[in-house]
Amino acid sequence: MSFLSVADKSPGSLAGLVRLGLDVKREPGTYGSVLAGKTVGLFFAKQSLRTQVSCDVATAQLGGHPFVISNDQTGLGTRESPRDVGRVLDRYVDLLGMRVYSHSVLEEVAAVMQAPVVNLLSDREHPCQTIADLMTIAEHRPLEGATVAFVGDGNNVCHSLMLGVAMTGGSFRVVTPPGYEPEDEFVAMASQHGSVVVTNVAAEAVEGADVVYTDVWTSM
């Protein structure tokens, strides 16, 4: 099953992913062969340092074979359509991670692939970052009942973290400058699972919060 959005998971399976991530972190040797014989493609239309290195190293440490594909090689959307890229790669890889500019590209590729597609970043969401962030919170306190304040731009990271916190039993507050609020669609989805507050007043968001999450000074 592809993982393009945090909302692709149920609350229970999302919590399970966090627990699994913590298990792998505590006992990495136990998982050293889970990807044995598997090939993982890592497609980067958008430049990356940390995402590329962490995914490459993680695949190798889990026993798989990673290989990086840059957009210079492929010409995604110019030389090759997203669907054609997906059809070709599906013949060779067991899993495809993609870091792209447009979320619609992920959806087009995933629609024609049997192998799972994982969102390594798009303009709408950053779900793997949220799994890592939830792991960090869980190492310090239970996710259920946690109040998380996000200070920054209502961007892809904010969207995914909002969903992740609400779906694992927490409350989410986001403070942005006026005009930079998260998309209503994500606020509505997250509100189905937990409390979500959107404000332009920093003190309202951070007062009494268990976790304060700050964004970079300029949005990607």
Side-chain angles (χ1 to χ4, degrees):
M1 179 179 178
S2 292
F3 187 40
L4 308 186
S5 165
V6 173
D8 290 341
K9 301 298 180 183
S10 68
S13 62
L14 182 64
L17 275 178
V18 175
R19 289 193 298 270
L20 177 60
L22 291 169
D23 286 343
V24 173
K25 185 176 179 180
R26 284 190 293 261
E27 300 288 341
T30 305
Y31 297 88
S33 61
V34 295
L35 291 182
K38 303 295 185 181
T39 299
V40 176
L42 300 171
F43 190 104
F44 290 90
K46 187 176 179 70
Q47 285 185 329
S48 169
L49 173 61
R50 284 158 290 276
T51 303
Q52 179 174 327
V53 172
S54 62
C55 289
D56 194 314
V57 171
T59 301
Q61 290 181 342
L62 294 173
H65 171 67
F67 74 96
V68 174
I69 312 159
S70 73
N71 200 36
D72 291 341
Q73 298 171 277
T74 309
L76 180 69
T78 53
R79 180 175 176 272
E80 302 263 6
S81 73
R83 287 177 176 267
D84 285 342
V85 169
R87 290 186 184 99
V88 170
L89 292 179
D90 201 31
R91 301 171 185 170
Y92 299 102
V93 303
D94 298 289
L95 183 147
L96 177 64
M98 297 190 76
R99 184 177 174 98
V100 298
Y101 288 94
S102 174
H103 193 83
S104 63
V105 169
L106 288 172
E107 295 173 330
E108 288 187 58
V109 171
V112 297
M113 289 189 65
Q114 296 298 312
V117 178
V118 175
N119 180 359
L120 303 181
L121 179 141
S122 73
D123 58 341
R124 285 174 59 81
E125 283 203 56
H126 201 350
C128 292
Q129 177 70 55
T130 286
I131 298 297
D133 293 334
L134 293 175
M135 287 170 55
T136 299
I137 296 170
E139 288 177 318
H140 293 274
R141 57 146 298 137
L143 292 173
E144 188 170 357
T147 298
V148 178
F150 181 94
V151 182
D153 181 9
N155 57 16
N156 49 2
V157 173
C158 177
H159 290 158
S160 288
L161 188 64
M162 180 189 305
L163 289 168
V165 170
M167 290 171 64
T168 53
S171 299
F172 193 79
R173 305 173 188 165
V174 54
V175 55
T176 74
Y180 291 86
E181 293 84 1
E183 294 181 18
D184 291 342
E185 174 187 351
F186 289 94
V187 175
M189 285 193 294
S191 296
Q192 294 175 6
H193 300 280
S195 173
V196 176
V197 174
V198 179
T199 179
N200 303 126
V201 181
E204 293 179 2
V206 303
E207 183 177 5
D210 299 298
V211 178
V212 177
Y213 190 116
T214 58
D215 196 9
V216 292
W217 69 273
T218 181
S219 175
M220 293 177 67

